[in-house]
Amino acid sequence: MRDTRAELLSQAEILVRGRGYAGFSYADLAGAVGIRKASIHHHFPTKVDLGAALVAAYAARYDGALTAIGTAVPDGPGRIAAYGRLYLGGVEQGLGCLCAALAIEGEALPERLRADIAAFFETHLAWLETILRAGQADGSVQRGQEPAALARYVIATLEGALLMERLFASPAAFSGTLAVLVDGLRPR
């Protein structure tokens, strides 16, 4: 049986990651899924409802990935490398990070979406700060930099690299940037 809601979320995510929130309409989404626009409104009465559902689903996928990384990878640099590889899928597909694609639109977005995106990044910053602090404590991450600032640096580097490599279509270059980032975290 067809799960129309899941299909709508999947196709809407591709549209937003490729075009931005303002760059797609329910008509675009209806065409991608092969249904009428009215059917979309049944699942998501407004575009804001759709955007909020997209961010929630994206955040849930990332939350699962962060938990898996924390469990499976033993040291700070390894965890940051694994985190960076989550971005690599976007490079390989020619898509940006959903929340970064939305954040770029800033004040043009409804307040509800801005709050959801901020919460997504706050969760990632807190997770990274915890990973980096633990890495400094166990000696796997270089000391001397505040973990909160390092967490912002990690996200800024990865989001910037993702943006560049969407343009240049170079997963190898993204991987190179990730390697430099991770190597810079290791103790000297």
Side-chain angles (χ1 to χ4, degrees), residues 72-95:
V73 182
D75 68 335
R79 288 175 175 162
I80 299 302
Y83 178 75
R85 286 190 296 275
L86 296 174
Y87 286 73
L88 185 57
V91 174
E92 292 169 343
Q93 297 170 357
L95 299 172

Side-chain angles (χ1 to χ4, degrees), residues 116-140:
D116 290 349
I117 296 161
F120 173 86
F121 282 116
E122 287 166 359
T123 297
H124 286 242
L125 288 168
W127 183 84
L128 287 164
E129 183 178 348
T130 299
I131 295 304
L132 293 162
R133 190 173 306 285
Q136 287 178 337
D138 71 18
S140 65

Side-chain angles (χ1 to χ4, degrees), residues 1-12 29 32-35 39-40 42-44 57:
M1 183 170 163
R2 181 177 189 183
D3 184 349
T4 304
R5 185 178 194 281
E7 197 173 341
L8 286 167
L9 285 172
S10 176
Q11 290 301 314
L29 183 56
V33 177
I35 62 174
S39 297
I40 299 171
H42 169 74
H43 296 281
F44 306 103

Side-chain angles (χ1 to χ4, degrees), residues 67-177:
T67 299
I69 290 168
T71 302
V73 182
D75 68 335
R79 288 175 175 162
I80 299 302
Y83 178 75
R85 286 190 296 275
L86 296 174
Y87 286 73
L88 185 57
V91 174
E92 292 169 343
Q93 297 170 357
L95 299 172
C97 165
L98 175 70
C99 288
L102 290 166
I104 287 170
E105 297 184 48
E107 294 298 316
L109 286 177
E111 177 57 35
R112 177 178 174 192
L113 290 182
R114 287 196 313 270
D116 290 349
I117 296 161
F120 173 86
F121 282 116
E122 287 166 359
T123 297
H124 286 242
L125 288 168
W127 183 84
L128 287 164
E129 183 178 348
T130 299
I131 295 304
L132 293 162
R133 190 173 306 285
Q136 287 178 337
D138 71 18
S140 65
V141 172
Q142 187 177 130
R143 293 171 201 231
Q145 298 296 325
E146 176 58 36
L150 278 175
R152 287 183 176 276
Y153 174 73
V154 167
I155 288 179
T157 300
L158 294 173
E159 290 290 356
L162 179 59
L163 183 62
M164 282 188 57
E165 299 318 329
R166 278 189 66 205
L167 177 64
F168 294 118
S170 179
F174 180 90
S175 294
T177 301

